[in-house]
């Protein structure tokens, strides 16, 4: 049992209620939270475990409770409190077990006050650490009570001798509660003697005389807390042996600590050091259970919004927080998201806790066209599936097994992630076999949690789409206005050019002013070219920063020609663009020139009108490498066979003799510069099809 890990240790309901209510108070302070938490060993241990987990402890460890609360934040503390409340709501603890819990809690609280008083008296440099050690000294008992409630509660007796109890634990469980508590704290990897203080809490004085002060403080504090205000002779001898403290000092210290613990318990309405409850105690206990159930039901209504993500959080931040809350709420440390790819029948894995292994994880993918994997089956059928279920073993694929190995667990539970009837993906939770019984009791709250988490993810997804659409609309408006400005500026420039021409004719060819007029004409033409380039400046800058959007470029060209070239030549158009095409690293000017040449060629090949189609496709593989494909197809008469043989050579034209035939040669040259490939197929029945293959190189 010493190798087992314990989660969800029980706490008195009154403390959980007060803690949850305090966390809901917008004006709550960390000092008031600390005052509540430091009264209970179970909550304190969960806070310490969370604060000293790799997620938070990047540079320093934490042994100060106040410091831990500041690091965790109120939302995380509230999550821990809700977690404990949920577990006790679904637990089957009887009233007798509740009495045992109260006794363990009372001894722990009493010991905490004794240890802090001893620390103050002996000038120990960290009295709060001594208090925490005293509060946690029976942590192992809570673990045993959680593991074997019916069996262990028989050993919890305030009047029993501690030596007999420890021997009975060794006999019954093969380990004693000091050993379990020490091992649990060892898992936090603190540079402190806290674990040793728990392990040696009942060692004889002569065995710990040379040990660390904290070990001696807790050892004496634990033995003083076994009594009430009149320590036994053996304990007084221990005090003298360890610290040289006399009877009157010890009795005064014990009496004061007992009073403090009694007042603390009274403020919560919890019976202090009572073996049996009277009528008032039973009434308070029943009221606390009802109140605790109400808090759990309230939490269920909020679901995953218990710890809302920060404003404008990206998807990574949100998934990271959901992953963290899974651990805080349910003790589920190993989990991975399988998220549906946009417009693809794939589930792509993502783990916020991958610690540099995300790239390796991304090599896995789960196709959803069929139910060939358990992940796909859970997604398609929207059902919960566990990998070790005998009825599903036949569908366990290598990808399922690899994901299980990545999460490092004996089994996976796939939970569908759905919001507003939209399938977002799958949550893969890693489980050990001894976790299954507890996991089954957590499922109702887990479903509520994942449902609310999915709502958050869906809202973010819709927000991203809205923002993207807004940016595209603004960009289109800006480009349209730029074209209007260019067009309006070209009109007066054209008029000026015409008047310069007339003026030149009036002056005569030999007039000395002709040279100046030619300079003015050249400069006006240069201004016109600058204006034409200015139309592309926003797009060029955007490409440099974000990469080139092929679909946007095609849409812009289509709009440009729609009211001019296509309208005057009776051309019907069809545009079919693949929305999954990413931003690529390429040269916008080159691609614009290529498409402009192809479109003009196609229109001129259909003098009586016809149909022009432009399409794009992502992941077109050529020579084993991924490319972006652009197709320009016309319904013209096709290209003669003798021209097709030397199509991309200068001088070979598909047009009449008035054209030089450089258009296709330029296209081939520009495609070579882009490391692309151009291909053409043509016949008289179906027209001509040009295919452009551009490398699918994206910006990091």
């Amino acid at each position: 049992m010493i190798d087992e890990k314990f989660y969800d240790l029980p706490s008195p309901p009154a403390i959980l209620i007060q803690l949850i209510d305090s966390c809901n108070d917008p004006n709550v302070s960390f000092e008031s939270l600390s005052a509540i938490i430091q009264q209970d060993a179970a909550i304190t241990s969960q806070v310490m475990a969370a604060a000293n987990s790799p997620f938070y402890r990047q540079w320093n460890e934490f042994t100060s409770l106040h410091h831990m609360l500041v690091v965790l934040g109120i939302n995380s503390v509230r999550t821990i409190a809700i977690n404990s409340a949920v577990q006790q709501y679904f637990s089957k603890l009887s009233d007798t077990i509740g009495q045992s819990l109260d006794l363990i809690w009372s001894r722990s609280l009493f010991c905490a006050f004794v240890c802090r008083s001893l620390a103050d008296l002996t000038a120990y440099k960290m009295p709060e650490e001594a208090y925490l050690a005293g509060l946690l000294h029976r942590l192992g008992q809570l673990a045993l009570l959680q593991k074997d409630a019916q069996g262990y509660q028989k050993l919890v007796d305030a009047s029993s001798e501690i030596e007999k109890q420890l021997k009975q634990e060794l006999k019954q469980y093969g380990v004693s509660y000091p050993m379990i508590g020490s091992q649990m704290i060892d898992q936090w990897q603190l540079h402190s003697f806290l674990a040793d203080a728990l392990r040696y809490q009942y060692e004889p004085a002569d065995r710990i005389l040379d040990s660390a002060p904290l070990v001696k403080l807790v050892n004496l504090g634990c033995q003083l807390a076994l009594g009430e205000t009149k320590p036994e002779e053996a304990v007084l001898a221990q005090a003298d042996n360890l610290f040289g403290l006399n009877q009157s000092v010890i009795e005064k210290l014990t009496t004061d600590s007992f009073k403090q613990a009694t007042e603390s318990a009274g403020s919560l309405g919890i019976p202090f050091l009572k073996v049996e409850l009277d009528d008032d105690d039973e009434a308070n206990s029943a009221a606390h259970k009802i109140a605790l159930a109400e808090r759990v039901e309230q939490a269920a209504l909020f679901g995953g919004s218990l710890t809302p993500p920060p404003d404008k959080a990206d998807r990574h931040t949100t998934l990271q927080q959901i992953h963290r809350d899974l651990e805080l709420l349910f003790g589920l440390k190993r989990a991975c998201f399988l998220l549906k790819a946009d417009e693809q029948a794939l589930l792509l894995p993502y783990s916020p806790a991958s610690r540099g292994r995300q790239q390796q994880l991304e090599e896995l993918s789960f196709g959803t066209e069929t139910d060939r994997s358990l992940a796909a089956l859970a997604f398609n059928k929207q059902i919960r599936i566990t990998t070790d279920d005998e009825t599903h073993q036949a569908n366990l694929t290598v990808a399922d097994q690899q994901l299980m190995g990545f999460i490092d667990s004996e089994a996976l539970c796939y939970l569908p992630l759905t919001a507003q009837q939209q399938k977002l993906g799958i949550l893969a939770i890693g489980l050990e076999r001894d976790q299954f019984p507890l996991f089954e009791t957590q499922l109702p709250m887990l479903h509520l949690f994942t449902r609310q988490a999915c709502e958050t993810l869906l809202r973010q997804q819709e927000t991203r789409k809205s923002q993207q659409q807004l940016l595209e609309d603004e960009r289109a408006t800006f480009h349209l206005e730029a074209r209007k400005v260019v067009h309006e500026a070209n009109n007066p420039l054209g008029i000026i050019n015409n008047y310069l021409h007339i003026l030149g004719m009036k002056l005569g060819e030999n007039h000395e002013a002709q040279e100046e007029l030619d300079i003015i004409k050249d400069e006006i033409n240069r201004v016109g070219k600058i204006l034409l380039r200015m139309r592309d400046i926003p797009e060029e800058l955007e490409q440099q920063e974000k990469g080139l959007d092929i679909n946007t470029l095609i849409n812009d060209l289509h709009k440009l020609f729609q009211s001019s070239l296509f309208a005057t030549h009776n051309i019907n158009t069809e545009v079919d663009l693949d929305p999954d095409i990413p931003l690529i690293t390429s040269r916008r000017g080159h691609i614009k020139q290529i498409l402009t040449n192809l479109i003009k060629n196609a229109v001129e090949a259909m003098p009586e009108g016809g149909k022009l189609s432009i399409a794009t496709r992502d992941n077109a593989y050529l020579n084993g490498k991924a490319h972006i494909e652009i197709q320009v197809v016309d319904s013209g008469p096709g290209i003669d066979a003798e021209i097709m043989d030397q199509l991309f050579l200068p001088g070979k034209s598909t047009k009449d003799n008035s054209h030089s035939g450089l258009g296709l040669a330029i296209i081939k040259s520009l495609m070579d510069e882009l490391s692309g490939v151009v291909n053409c197929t043509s016949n008289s029945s179906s027209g001509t099809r040009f295919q452009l293959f551009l490398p699918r190189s994206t910006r990091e």
Side-chain angles (χ1 to χ4, degrees):
M1 180 173 290
I2 196 167
D3 294 327
E4 296 183 16
K5 296 181 179 179
F6 299 93
Y7 307 101
D8 312 314
L9 302 180
S11 299
I15 289 181
L16 295 176
I17 293 166
Q18 191 176 38
L19 183 56
I20 294 170
D21 290 346
S22 295
C23 289
N24 289 333
D25 182 356
N27 299 316
V28 69
S29 66
F30 287 112
E31 287 77 9
S32 58
L33 289 179
S34 179
I36 298 170
I37 292 172
Q38 67 182 6
Q39 296 179 86
D40 179 59
I43 293 292
T44 298
S45 68
Q46 292 183 58
V47 168
M48 292 185 71
N52 287 285
S53 66
F55 188 90
Y56 290 103
R57 188 176 65 180
Q58 300 181 40
W59 300 281
N60 298 305
E61 64 184 36
F62 305 113
T63 55
S64 165
L65 184 57
H66 182 271
H67 194 178
M68 285 186 276
L69 296 181
V70 172
V71 170
L72 288 174
I74 291 176
N75 278 335
S76 294
V77 175
R78 182 172 181 266
T79 299
I80 291 172
I82 291 291
N83 170 49
S84 297
V86 168
Q87 300 310 321
Q88 290 182 224
Y89 177 78
F90 287 109
S91 70
K92 304 296 189 294
L93 293 179
S94 67
D95 292 336
T96 304
I97 301 300
Q99 292 177 35
S100 299
L101 175 60
D102 287 341
L103 287 173
I104 294 172
W105 176 80
S106 297
R107 294 292 182 191
S108 298
L109 187 62
F110 184 19
C111 185
F113 282 110
V114 170
C115 287
R116 183 159 62 187
S117 297
L118 282 171
D120 291 335
L121 185 62
T122 59
Y124 181 60
K125 59 183 179 181
M126 290 184 289
E128 290 305 314
E129 184 184 41
Y131 179 94
L132 288 177
L135 186 67
L136 298 174
H137 84 287
R138 290 178 179 257
L139 192 60
Q141 284 193 306
L142 295 177
L144 289 169
L145 191 64
Q146 182 249 12
K147 186 67 178 179
D148 181 23
Q150 296 295 332
Y152 188 67
Q153 64 94 15
K154 298 176 183 178
L155 297 179
V156 182
D157 186 349
S159 62
S160 64
E161 295 181 12
I162 191 64
E163 291 184 4
K164 291 182 179 180
Q165 182 175 330
L166 297 179
K167 288 180 180 179
Q168 185 61 32
E169 287 176 358
L170 287 170
K171 179 180 179 181
Q172 192 165 331
Y173 302 107
V175 65
S176 64
Y177 80 76
M179 299 167 66
I180 294 178
S182 176
Q183 181 235 0
M184 293 174 70
I185 291 177
D186 268 336
Q187 293 173 357
W188 306 338
Q189 299 179 349
L190 302 175
H191 294 97
S192 166
F193 288 106
L194 187 59
D196 287 347
L198 267 62
R199 179 179 294 272
Y200 303 117
Q201 58 186 283
Y202 295 117
E203 287 290 319
D206 57 353
R207 288 177 55 83
I208 61 170
L209 279 173
D210 298 321
S211 63
L214 184 64
V215 174
K216 294 188 285 187
L217 282 171
V218 174
N219 180 278
L220 179 57
C222 292
Q223 297 190 58
L224 288 171
L226 288 174
E228 293 188 11
T229 58
K230 295 292 183 182
E232 296 180 356
E233 288 296 328
V235 180
L236 292 173
Q238 189 90 336
D240 182 49
N241 201 2
L242 290 174
F243 297 104
L245 298 174
N246 62 37
Q247 180 175 348
S248 61
V249 171
I250 288 296
E251 288 181 350
K252 175 68 166 57
L253 181 148
T254 306
T255 300
D256 291 345
S257 299
F258 188 86
K259 181 180 179 182
Q260 290 175 308
T262 303
E263 291 174 351
S264 180
S267 67
L268 295 169
I270 301 176
F272 185 71
L273 286 177
K274 289 188 178 182
V275 178
E276 295 183 1
L277 302 179
D278 56 28
D279 292 341
D280 290 339
D281 292 333
E282 290 179 352
N284 286 335
S285 178
H288 288 152
K289 290 180 180 179
I290 294 173
L292 186 63
E294 291 175 352
R295 300 309 189 279
V296 171
E297 290 171 1
Q298 291 168 5
L301 293 176
F302 287 104
S305 64
L306 294 176
T307 54
D311 292 341
K312 300 181 181 179
D314 57 20
R315 189 176 72 164
H316 170 76
T317 302
T318 302
L319 292 175
Q320 189 178 51
Q321 188 156 352
I322 293 171
H323 189 277
R324 183 187 63 184
D325 287 353
L326 281 170
E327 178 177 351
L328 291 175
L329 273 170
F330 306 101
L332 302 173
K333 297 185 177 182
R334 290 166 289 184
C336 177
F337 299 94
L338 302 180
L339 302 175
K340 181 181 180 297
D342 294 337
E343 307 300 328
Q344 289 182 280
L346 286 175
L347 295 175
L348 303 178
Y350 179 80
S351 173
S354 60
R355 297 184 184 177
R357 297 180 62 197
Q358 178 62 31
Q359 185 174 359
Q360 177 188 1
L361 186 61
E362 287 176 353
E363 296 181 20
L364 297 177
S365 63
F366 297 81
T368 57
E369 306 95 334
T370 63
D371 299 336
R372 61 174 175 260
S373 68
L374 292 184
L377 180 63
F379 177 79
N380 292 330
K381 303 297 184 184
Q382 290 292 287
I383 57 175
R384 173 171 59 93
I385 290 179
T386 306
T387 58
D388 68 342
D389 189 323
E390 293 181 1
T391 60
H392 294 130
Q393 281 296 313
N395 287 332
L396 188 62
T397 64
V398 172
D400 289 315
Q401 294 174 336
Q402 286 180 307
L403 183 62
M404 200 184 314
F406 181 90
I407 297 180
D408 189 23
S409 60
E410 295 178 347
L412 289 178
C413 178
Y414 290 126
L415 290 179
L417 297 174
T418 307
Q420 300 179 21
Q421 298 183 342
Q422 293 190 41
K423 299 178 181 179
L424 303 182
I426 293 291
L427 175 62
I429 299 173
L431 297 171
E432 303 303 318
R433 299 195 185 281
D434 61 354
Q435 286 183 265
F436 277 92
L438 176 60
F439 181 71
E440 291 293 329
T441 67
Q442 294 174 325
L443 280 173
M445 274 298 292
L446 186 58
H447 285 305
L448 290 170
F449 173 85
T450 55
R451 190 179 308 159
Q452 189 64 33
C454 289
E455 292 285 348
T456 300
L457 290 172
L458 184 60
R459 285 196 301 271
Q460 287 188 333
Q461 180 177 309
E462 292 173 348
T463 300
R464 285 196 304 272
K465 288 182 179 179
S466 298
Q467 291 174 341
Q468 182 64 31
Q469 184 61 48
L470 181 62
L471 288 174
E472 290 178 0
D473 292 344
E474 290 179 349
R475 180 176 58 190
T477 301
F478 182 84
H479 291 172
L480 181 60
E481 290 300 318
R483 291 188 185 97
K484 288 181 180 178
V485 170
V486 171
H487 178 73
E488 291 174 1
N490 276 329
N491 286 335
L493 288 177
I495 293 172
I496 294 172
N497 255 329
N498 290 336
Y499 275 101
L500 287 174
H501 179 70
I502 294 172
L503 181 59
M505 292 177 61
K506 289 182 177 181
L507 294 176
E509 293 182 2
N510 298 323
H511 195 280
E512 59 183 10
Q514 287 292 347
E515 184 177 351
E516 284 79 3
L517 290 177
D518 289 340
I519 292 174
I520 295 173
K521 289 179 183 179
D522 290 342
E523 290 303 310
I524 289 175
N525 289 333
R526 192 159 71 90
V527 170
K529 292 178 180 179
I530 291 173
L531 287 173
L532 289 174
R533 289 203 308 271
M534 188 181 72
R535 180 175 57 191
D536 293 333
I537 286 176
E539 295 157 309
E540 295 290 353
L541 291 176
E542 179 180 319
Q543 178 200 336
Q544 292 175 13
E545 294 177 359
K546 300 181 179 179
L548 174 61
D549 189 332
I550 290 291
N551 289 343
T552 297
L553 173 58
I554 292 173
N555 276 325
D556 288 346
L557 283 174
H558 181 258
K559 290 178 182 178
L560 180 65
F561 290 126
Q562 188 68 48
S563 58
S564 55
L565 190 66
F566 298 154
T568 57
H569 289 77
N570 195 27
I571 301 296
N572 295 319
T573 60
E574 179 181 278
V575 178
D576 182 16
L577 305 180
D578 186 345
D580 290 331
I581 289 182
L583 302 180
I584 65 171
T585 303
S586 192
R587 300 180 66 177
R588 183 184 187 281
H590 280 34
I591 297 174
K592 181 178 179 180
Q593 181 69 60
I594 292 167
L595 291 174
T596 299
N597 285 8
L598 287 177
I599 290 171
K600 287 184 176 180
N601 285 352
V603 171
E604 292 177 359
M606 299 180 289
E608 304 300 325
K611 181 179 179 181
L612 174 68
S613 300
I614 305 175
T616 60
R617 182 166 61 99
D618 190 17
N619 286 321
Y621 279 83
L622 193 66
N623 298 325
K625 296 182 179 180
H627 289 71
I628 303 298
E629 180 185 1
I630 305 173
Q631 290 191 17
V632 179
V633 184
D634 66 60
S635 61
I639 303 173
D640 293 340
E642 60 271 17
I643 295 179
M644 284 290 293
D645 290 340
Q646 301 180 15
L647 187 63
F648 296 108
L649 297 178
K652 301 298 179 181
S653 175
T654 61
K655 309 170 189 175
D656 59 42
N657 293 332
S658 63
H659 296 279
S660 65
L662 285 175
L664 294 179
I666 291 173
I667 290 173
K668 178 64 168 62
S669 176
L670 293 176
M671 286 296 291
D672 288 343
E673 287 188 36
L674 298 175
S675 300
V677 176
V678 57
N679 184 43
C680 178
T681 56
S682 182
N683 58 64
S684 58
S685 60
S686 59
T688 302
R689 178 190 307 271
F690 280 92
Q691 294 172 285
L692 307 174
F693 296 93
L694 296 168
R696 194 183 186 277
S697 56
T698 59
R699 297 180 67 87
E700 295 298 333

